[in-house]
Amino acid sequence: MASNRPTETVTQLLQQALPNVKGKTFTSEIVDFPPKARAVPHRHGQAFVYAYVLEGTVRSQLAGRPVTTYHQGDNWVEPPGAHHLLTENTSPTERARLLVVFVSNTGDKLKIDDQAS
């Protein structure tokens, strides 16, 4: 899916093995969406995902669920294996920022973009 829209940038804050859960890692990131940005549809492997809107407004959709709009202060979770069909900044002029936390299998890739067809 080719797009002229900008995409998100990710800044990792912390990544640490969970000392009391063998084989699991905690990772936190800031995901910054410039105006009109949209992420490529993707999955987060077998990670449990928590997202919190720090700034702006984001529309999101997981497979089998309706499109939902989240505003600053809203949050959601994604179960392991979820297919994230839509994540976009709804504003044409303001950025949106998320705090995203993953609990994943140690060594797993945290974001796997869908392949273009």
Side-chain angles (χ1 to χ4, degrees):
M1 166 191 341
S3 173
N4 304 357
R5 298 177 84 165
T7 189
E8 79 278 18
T9 57
V10 176
T11 304
Q12 189 174 93
L13 300 174
L14 174 70
Q15 186 168 56
Q16 178 175 328
L18 291 174
N20 58 340
V21 185
K22 185 178 172 100
K24 297 291 182 181
T25 296
F26 171 96
T27 305
S28 60
E29 299 176 341
I30 299 293
V31 182
D32 195 328
F33 288 87
K36 300 183 186 179
R38 177 182 285 175
V40 172
H42 60 276
R43 299 175 191 268
H44 296 290
Q46 290 305 306
F48 175 81
V49 180
Y50 169 79
Y52 178 87
V53 182
L54 296 168
E55 181 180 344
T57 301
V58 173
R59 286 190 338 147
S60 178
Q61 182 181 25
L62 299 179
R65 297 191 186 167
V67 174
T68 304
T69 301
Y70 298 97
H71 304 279
Q72 183 176 357
D74 291 340
N75 64 91
W76 71 92
V77 295
E78 299 177 22
H83 189 193
H84 209 147
L85 302 174
L86 173 70
T87 316
E88 69 179 354
N89 180 353
T90 63
S91 175
T93 59
E94 302 295 323
R95 76 178 186 173
R97 292 177 55 221
L98 304 175
L99 169 65
V100 181
V101 174
F102 302 88
V103 176
S104 63
N105 296 324
T106 301
D108 279 2
K109 190 171 179 180
L110 294 179
K111 183 175 182 252
I112 302 107
D113 289 341
D114 289 1
Q115 297 299 314
S117 39

